[in-house]
Amino acid sequence: MRVLIIGAGTGGLCLAHGLKKAGVDVALFERDRTPRSMLIGYRVGISPDGSRALHSCLPPDVFAEFVRTTARPPKHIVMRTEKYGELLVGDVDTDRDDSRSEKSVSRIAMRTALLGGLDDVVRFDKTFTRFTQNDDGTVTAFFDDGTSETGDVLVGADGAQSRVRRQYLPGAKVVDTGITSVAGKLPLTDENAKLLPPLADGGITLLFGTRGEFVIIHVMRFDGTGVEDDYIMWGYAASHDKFPDMKDMSQSELKQVVLNLTPKFHPHMRRLFALATPETVFQVRVRTSERPRPWQPSNVTMIGDSVHLMTPGRGIGANTALRDAELLCRKLTEGKDTVQAIGEYEREMVEYGFQAVEASREMMNGGSLVHKPVIGPVAAAFQRTFLRVTNAVPVLKRKMLAEDAAERDHVSSDHEVVHAR
């Protein structure tokens, strides 16, 4: 069997390792010209699901290098008001081995680690254009440089703008969520650390504003590994109507937009906005997939954002792609008929993948009440009250945190992952 993979993102690299380790002939094609092209060094949260998939697919030395490049894992999940008032605080269980633990890693560091051992597999500067399914049961991928490659299976791992998906499932829709996000990063210095909310250094922090807007804060400490300089990352998100027209704005102007929208935020948070290194600031209109109509399996399939693009609201997009990679690798190497194996993979993937899509959209939906001009502040106040009550009642907090953990870890028992403070 020869497998062609389009896209050297997280899922594509994980799948390539798994197949190669199983003795499958695999070739991976990436449009970026070099391994570090088009990458921003922002955080990826790796859940227990993601860790298990990586541990299963990667050879031991590559997995060890991946673990070495990770930052300190989050110990807390903290929800606060925009003025740093406490809403809910919970702990994340970090007492687990590397094969099933939460991890924080930067995208550049992760790609670099996962490229290890794949020099004979990955081909850069190869932009996929289309495929054909041939009469002999093979599939041919064509590239914009005039070349083509033929294999037994084609896997689209080419992300949100997937050309594989557009050709294979032209009716599958990717829709606007109504949310715009602006993100930035700044060095983690002693002075900048003093501006963080309590417990942010060592946790994942969410700030909720009064008009439906929210901020996520990640602190990345690499403990002197030399992987990357320590940094603080923030992301501000709100409904489209809150933002001005940002077309053609510079990165410094995008940062000023966030400052203009947050006059009542804690002054320390506003200072963190202002200190973001301009070249790291970017904006995105958040999009997500809609569940497609069922389709008949064939020798073409997809993993990750190419099939189930989700918002970053739950932080499970990369982990779902890794889960896809492990499952597809396992199905393809069980010795079954190829199309049967892909059909079994797709039946499972569609169910858990679109459950994740729907859960992620709940967190980032511009049509929800908190974003409405009149009822929004009332809904936001109710949300805060609910979180405060939940925080004060241990049984409610355990239930809420366990449900969140279950989305990130599909085999653990509730108490293993999170517990109330």
Side-chain angles (χ1 to χ4, degrees):
M1 179 166 54
R2 185 168 195 244
V3 178
L4 312 178
I5 303 172
I6 308 300
T10 302
L13 289 168
C14 182
L15 176 61
H17 271 295
L19 292 172
K20 182 181 178 182
K21 192 166 77 167
V24 175
D25 180 8
V26 58
L28 192 157
F29 305 92
E30 168 56 47
R31 67 180 181 180
D32 288 353
R33 298 194 66 181
T34 71
R36 297 180 72 87
S37 299
M38 303 298 292
L39 277 179
I40 297 174
Y42 283 5
R43 175 188 183 271
V44 180
I46 301 299
S47 70
D49 267 356
S51 289
R52 273 189 295 273
L54 287 165
H55 185 261
S56 172
C57 291
L58 271 54
D61 60 328
V62 176
F63 184 75
E65 175 61 14
F66 160 70
V67 172
R68 189 190 71 79
T69 66
T70 59
R72 290 184 192 175
K75 296 180 180 179
H76 320 288
I77 181 165
V78 185
M79 301 180 190
R80 298 187 179 278
T81 70
E82 80 284 6
K83 299 183 185 295
Y84 286 7
E86 183 177 306
L87 295 174
L88 186 144
V89 178
D91 288 347
V92 178
D93 181 9
T94 58
D95 186 22
R96 296 172 140 212
D97 64 56
D98 289 331
S99 68
R100 58 191 190 100
S101 62
E102 295 272 351
K103 299 176 182 66
S104 291
V105 65
S106 283
R107 290 185 183 276
I108 291 174
M110 186 170 186
R111 175 186 261 191
T112 301
L114 266 58
L115 281 169
L118 292 180
D119 290 347
D120 59 336
V121 170
V122 181
R123 306 179 196 180
F124 285 94
D125 200 15
K126 299 288 287 186
T127 299
F128 170 83
T129 56
R130 64 185 179 89
F131 67 84
T132 58
Q133 291 171 290
N134 308 315
D135 292 340
D136 63 357
T138 61
V139 58
T140 301
F142 296 87
F143 303 91
D144 70 352
D145 60 4
T147 62
S148 64
E149 295 280 346
T150 297
D152 301 291
V153 176
L154 175 72
V155 181
D158 48 341
Q161 305 293 334
S162 173
R163 290 183 175 181
V164 176
R165 181 190 68 240
R166 288 177 184 174
Q167 180 179 347
Y168 191 54
L169 299 179
K173 293 182 180 179
V174 174
V175 297
D176 192 316
T177 64
I179 296 292
T180 292
S181 177
V182 179
K185 60 185 279 193
L186 61 149
L188 177 59
T189 64
D190 291 342
E191 288 303 308
N192 291 346
K194 294 175 183 177
L195 302 172
L196 292 164
L199 298 177
D201 190 355
I204 299 170
T205 301
L206 286 165
L207 307 182
F208 294 94
T210 59
R211 301 188 305 157
E213 69 270 49
F214 68 92
V215 175
I216 188 165
I217 303 170
H218 295 296
V219 177
M220 298 289 281
R221 288 189 180 273
F222 294 94
D223 294 328
T225 60
V227 172
E228 192 169 344
D229 293 333
D230 298 343
Y231 65 84
I232 299 167
M233 170 197 162
W234 54 258
Y236 173 87
S239 55
H240 294 331
D241 61 286
K242 307 292 194 305
F243 290 87
D245 181 2
M246 295 187 289
K247 184 180 180 182
D248 300 325
M249 277 193 180
S250 70
Q251 290 166 299
S252 293
E253 289 171 330
L254 292 176
K255 186 166 63 172
Q256 188 58 49
V257 166
V258 176
L259 287 167
N260 293 344
L261 291 173
T262 55
K264 296 183 179 180
F265 274 54
H266 195 291
H268 286 177
M269 188 66 245
R270 286 172 50 79
R271 184 63 179 155
L272 291 171
F273 292 146
L275 288 171
T277 309
E279 55 265 29
T280 71
V281 179
F282 72 99
Q283 61 134 330
V284 62
R285 290 172 71 95
V286 180
R287 303 164 74 227
T288 190
S289 294
E290 290 188 343
R291 188 183 287 256
R293 295 172 62 88
W295 68 92
Q296 288 296 315
S298 73
N299 58 355
V300 175
T301 191
M302 295 155 292
I303 66 173
D305 287 349
S306 64
V307 61
H308 46 57
L309 175 66
M310 62 193 74
T311 82
R314 296 278 183 176
I316 50 179
N319 295 291
T320 310
L322 291 171
R323 187 178 178 186
D324 293 348
E326 189 279 330
L327 176 62
L328 179 57
C329 179
R330 179 157 38 90
K331 292 295 183 182
L332 287 175
T333 55
E334 284 178 342
K336 299 175 182 175
D337 172 78
T338 298
V339 174
Q340 178 188 351
I342 289 174
E344 291 178 3
Y345 155 73
E346 289 178 344
R347 280 192 292 276
E348 286 190 47
M349 175 272 292
V350 166
E351 286 311 305
Y352 68 69
F354 281 91
Q355 286 175 12
V357 166
E358 289 148 14
S360 297
R361 188 165 185 177
E362 287 178 6
M363 282 285 292
M364 301 187 82
N365 184 353
S368 62
L369 285 179
V370 293
H371 298 290
K372 302 298 183 184
V374 177
I375 195 65
V378 177
F382 177 82
Q383 179 187 56
R384 292 179 183 218
T385 300
F386 171 79
L387 290 172
R388 288 190 180 104
V389 170
T390 301
N391 196 44
V393 182
V395 65
L396 293 179
K397 180 155 64 169
R398 281 194 296 271
K399 183 176 184 296
M400 177 181 175
L401 294 174
E403 288 173 353
D404 180 72
E407 291 179 357
R408 299 172 61 77
D409 184 4
H410 289 81
V411 300
S412 74
S413 59
D414 294 345
H415 69 274
E416 285 184 303
V417 185
V418 290
H419 56 276
R421 287 176 63 83

